[in-house]
Amino acid sequence: MNTPRITFVLVTYGGRDLVRTCLQALAEHTPQPYRVVITDSASPDGTGEWLTANLTEETVLRLPENLGFGVGGNLGVRHADTEFVCFLNADIEVTEGWLAPLLDFLDRTPEAAAVSPLLLNADGTVQEAGSLIGGDGWCRAYDEPRETLFAREVDYASAACLVVRRSAFHQVAGFSSEYEIAYFEDVDLALLLRQAGHQTWVLPSVAVHHARHGSSSSARAEELMRLNHRHFLDRWGTELADRPPVVGLDAHPHRRWSLRDTSAPYRVLLIDDRVPQADRGRGDPRTMAVVDAWRAGDPRARVTFFAASPERAEEYAPALQARGIEVVWGVTDAAAWSREHAGLFDVVCVFRPHNFTALGKPIAEYQPQAVLVYDSEALFHRRPAQHFETALDAAERRRFAIEGVRLRKEEVEAFTWADVAVCVSEEEAQWARRIAPETLVHVACYPAKVPESVPGLEGRHGIVFFGGFDGQPRTPNEFAVLELADEVLPPLRERHPDLRLRVVGADPSPAVLALEGPAITVVGKVPDPAPVLSTALLHVVPMRYGAGVKIKFVDSMAAGLPFVTTPVGGEGLHLGWTARHLIGSSPAELVDLCDRLLTDKPLWTDVQQAMLDICREHFSTTHFANQMRAVLVDCAIAPTA
């Protein structure tokens, strides 16, 4: 039989039926082995006698008088011998699968001494996701809508359901016995734990139901709170003095966010098109890597991701929220939103020129203290210039010319506005430094991990096209795959009749789906492109439109897969001598390059090795982390990672 890791400590004062329901739910939804210790504080309704007579596997301790929650909790912990204890009110009903995520979090977060689930009202609405402590010594439950909640360090979490490391509890001598009967003991405990270097967290992905004040009236609860408030303020008033008060918080909403994030060493706001969909391509994998870098700078930092579009937000936001990243979407008035968060952020970072104009500037107006960062992702004004060269008539050329001028003006303004800027290649960074000489410009491209073992030629087959399509026509990747299918693949198959093409990428457009046939398989979205890239002979992308580094080719290099593309596709990849074997301007040149790599095995092997070396030198996770660390330093942030 497994040794229990956790003891549930209940302190009762009446509420026999609540205790029975609580223990039944605990048994039903907690498959892990556990122990239970119940301290009865001289219940006047016979609850103590009932517990003694009916509970045989639980430890029941009976006090001769009501000495309060703190004393009862301390006594219960003294009878525990497990790694963790969980304080559990009798009016809590746990839910299926609730405990494992909390224990897993504590196992992988040694700096955390306590963690709480989300507390829900009986109707499923949010009751408390941790609480805020004001400078006036009063506390306020954080009860934002559930879809906006994220894992975070909190001032304190209610001991109605709180998992604590027993060693940390003993280190701070447990609950103070100086408080009357109930309330503020758990607030005091959280501050003691923080004072000792520990953290308290809430995981909103885990929820339990709480019938607040289930064993006492609300009037009695308020009376007890007021009795202990003065004592709490006497103990902690000096430490809390710099905080805004909780009383009157609704009239000053920006104070609410300041209180919420008081423990964060820095607060960064990242503004981009949508919640990153890293498994769908379209530049999102790099965005996600940048988000991770800001988060890794200090795990306690508050990272808020502001998505301009709600596209698939409900699908992709939860994974970020579980990792402690706040996700905001569906905001119709960015300036009003920023005004409610006035003065909160230490860094405001905006991606791409259209987001700078629509969101970055109005949001920054209410964050005058923030370091301003522009992460360009690419020089967008170059794309209309590429379309201009292939436009079919004067009206189209004029439209692209106007668009190019507009985007260039936006990008010049964005780089000039920024204190710190980020480009994905040194070539684009040089342009940015010329037009914005006062801005600190960095290069941070994209991290790719090279596997320890990369397959060679043997076992590989066919060619692959890899890139997202947005489900709509006239995207750069749609143009590229149609050229590949119409102008490159047919003559290449004349030389290699058995050659097949796999088209991999999320949301294929109707024109891409129509390519399915004897020589072409449209795979669509895959959970991970690495297995496909590691089994193909060549990655072929006739890229005509685009700017910056195309991360599809970085992924290709990491998989040891040689690629053939155009000068546009090869930008910023540090190709060196391999460029003459990989870069072609016309379909005929691309055919010849593919043919040679498919027939010259020593050349294919040499190119593969060179690509792996380039990836390790310029696109490794360590290299990207160092690049982003330099960005953080110029934002006056000293990374801990």
Side-chain angles (χ1 to χ4, degrees), residues 281-302:
R282 306 181 298 175
D284 289 40
R286 180 187 177 271
T287 303
M288 194 66 247
V290 174
V291 174
D292 288 341
W294 281 103
R295 180 73 177 147
D298 191 318
R300 301 178 69 191
R302 174 69 65 245

Side-chain angles (χ1 to χ4, degrees), residues 182-201:
Y183 298 106
F184 281 95
E185 305 97 323
D186 48 0
V187 190
D188 187 274
L189 174 68
L191 293 182
L192 287 171
L193 289 171
R194 180 180 293 181
Q195 193 177 65
H198 303 295
Q199 300 171 12
T200 299
W201 282 69

Side-chain angles (χ1 to χ4, degrees), residues 441-511:
V441 180
H442 292 264
V443 175
C445 185
Y446 174 68
K449 186 176 182 180
V450 176
E452 291 185 9
S453 177
V454 177
L457 268 169
E458 189 174 348
R460 293 178 178 264
H461 60 92
I463 62 175
V464 65
F465 178 100
F466 170 48
F469 297 101
D470 282 333
Q472 55 187 313
R474 301 185 65 79
T475 62
N477 280 333
E478 187 193 70
F479 281 120
V481 76
L482 293 180
E483 179 176 334
L484 172 58
D486 294 340
E487 302 183 49
V488 177
L489 185 60
L492 189 58
R493 276 175 54 85
E494 290 178 5
R495 308 182 195 186
H496 303 270
D498 296 329
L499 193 66
R500 289 185 58 84
L501 166 66
R502 287 176 284 174
V503 179
V504 177
D507 308 310
S509 66

Side-chain angles (χ1 to χ4, degrees), residues 399-430:
R399 180 166 60 83
F400 286 129
I402 293 171
E403 178 72 359
V405 170
R406 183 189 66 79
L407 281 171
R408 188 183 190 282
K409 182 180 178 182
E410 276 188 333
E411 291 185 302
V412 169
E413 185 182 359
F415 279 109
T416 306
W417 166 87
D419 301 303
V420 179
V422 184
C423 296
V424 295
S425 71
E426 183 57 38
E427 293 81 1
E428 295 195 346
Q430 289 174 7

Side-chain angles (χ1 to χ4, degrees), residues 73-121:
N74 288 341
L75 182 61
V77 174
R78 212 171 294 152
H79 283 75
D81 61 357
T82 52
E83 182 181 0
F84 303 107
V85 293
C86 177
F87 298 102
L88 196 64
N89 279 10
D91 52 8
I92 288 283
E93 285 191 41
V94 301
T95 57
E96 184 176 356
W98 76 284
L99 181 60
L102 302 178
L103 296 183
D104 178 66
F105 174 81
L106 289 172
D107 285 340
R108 55 188 169 81
T109 315
E111 58 272 21
V115 63
S116 168
L118 175 65
L119 303 186
L120 298 178
N121 294 308

Side-chain angles (χ1 to χ4, degrees), residues 278-281 285 446 460 464-467 502 504-506 523-536 539 551-552 554-556 559 561:
D279 60 343
R280 310 188 89 87
Y446 174 68
R460 293 178 178 264
V464 65
F465 178 100
F466 170 48
R502 287 176 284 174
V504 177
V523 178
K525 178 179 175 290
V526 294
D528 180 4
V532 176
L533 299 178
S534 63
T535 58
H539 182 192
I551 61 177
K552 60 171 67 70
V554 179
D555 287 332
S556 188
L561 175 62

